[in-house]
Amino acid sequence: MTILKGTKDNFFSLIKEGVTLAYFSNPQTEECQTTRENLESIEKNSKKDIKFVEINVNEKKVVDKFPVDISPTIILFKNGKILKSKIGAQPKSQLTQFISPFN
């Protein structure tokens, strides 16, 4: 698997079923780039079917529906419902711990 690209056209169908980690980012910032690299590493070692979806914070039709004030923001969904979220850049260890109950 890879990190999927979320858009206003596909995002809601991507989070509809199963466990999805949505990563709201501004790819131009260093914090978002570092967080993405950490998520790529975690995704490659993921043991379960967790979808990883990255969505640009400029996709306002999606972003405006969620508590995304700062990028990066990470929201964990299960069957379209928010389970929990983290705001701001996170080291790999904290990201791993964040998804560990579902991995």
Side-chain angles (χ1 to χ4, degrees):
M1 274 184 81
T2 60
I3 296 178
L4 304 170
K5 180 176 173 55
T7 67
K8 64 181 176 13
D9 297 322
N10 71 359
F11 183 77
F12 295 99
S13 64
L14 289 172
I15 67 167
K16 187 176 182 180
E17 293 181 7
V19 177
T20 305
L21 184 142
Y23 167 53
F24 294 84
S25 77
N26 177 348
Q28 297 173 348
T29 67
E30 187 175 330
E31 293 91 358
C32 290
Q33 291 173 6
T34 300
T35 301
R36 187 182 204 296
E37 290 169 8
N38 290 336
L39 288 173
E40 286 175 338
S41 175
I42 292 167
E43 189 270 338
K44 286 177 186 169
N45 296 309
S46 181
K47 297 178 186 106
K48 295 206 176 163
D49 289 332
I50 299 174
K51 286 180 280 192
F52 289 72
V53 177
E54 180 177 9
I55 186 155
N56 191 305
V57 292
N58 294 320
E59 289 277 359
K60 295 296 183 189
K61 289 187 178 185
V62 174
V63 173
D64 289 347
K65 305 233 184 264
F66 301 104
V68 178
D69 296 327
I70 298 171
S71 62
T73 295
I74 297 168
I75 302 177
L76 197 60
F77 293 90
K78 184 169 184 182
N79 299 328
K81 306 268 191 240
I82 295 174
L83 296 176
K84 59 184 179 174
S85 64
K86 273 204 172 288
I87 296 172
Q90 305 293 319
K92 185 177 174 183
S93 61
Q94 286 186 355
L95 292 170
T96 301
Q97 185 178 19
F98 181 73
I99 67 165
S100 66
F102 306 95
N103 195 16

